[in-house]
Amino acid sequence: MDFCKNYSLPDWTSGFEQRKTSVSQLPYEEYTGPMEKSASDANNYRLIRLPNNLVVMCVQDADTEGAAAALSVDVGSNMDPVELQGLAHFLEHMLFM
């Protein structure tokens, strides 16, 4: 059973340019293509890809004093190995508790 057959991932193979962090000179890629957002959305967005291929979206809200982070992974219990049923749920608790 293919749960993702109607889901298509964005094309994250193009539109990225090589960059380095200012102090440590660590490599990363930054998306320079167009991003769609609502005309009423005043936030600033950056999309970067780290050397381990993790794609990160940074959202800057000038009206907010705090900071937050969120993580989305496109896997779940249907991807658990047969010998490790419950692994996804266990890791969820390890990350978020």
Side-chain angles (χ1 to χ4, degrees), residues 7-73:
Y7 181 74
S8 62
L9 291 172
D11 176 21
W12 287 343
T13 59
S14 61
F16 285 87
E17 291 184 10
Q18 294 287 325
R19 308 258 198 240
K20 289 190 177 183
T21 58
S22 57
V23 176
S24 302
Q25 294 295 301
L26 298 172
Y28 70 97
E29 296 176 326
E30 184 169 358
Y31 181 73
T32 57
M35 283 197 210
E36 289 185 39
K37 68 176 195 172
S38 169
S40 63
D41 186 351
N43 295 332
N44 294 316
Y45 295 87
R46 286 179 61 204
L47 192 64
I48 61 174
R49 182 172 35 223
L50 303 177
N52 64 357
N53 284 326
L54 181 68
V55 177
V56 179
M57 177 174 279
C58 304
V59 182
Q60 179 187 17
D61 181 350
D63 296 331
T64 303
E65 295 179 12
L71 175 68
S72 175
V73 292

Side-chain angles (χ1 to χ4, degrees), residues 71-85:
L71 175 68
S72 175
V73 292
D74 292 332
V75 296
S77 60
N78 61 328
M79 301 238 178
D80 282 346
V82 173
E83 66 276 8
L84 291 172
Q85 292 296 303

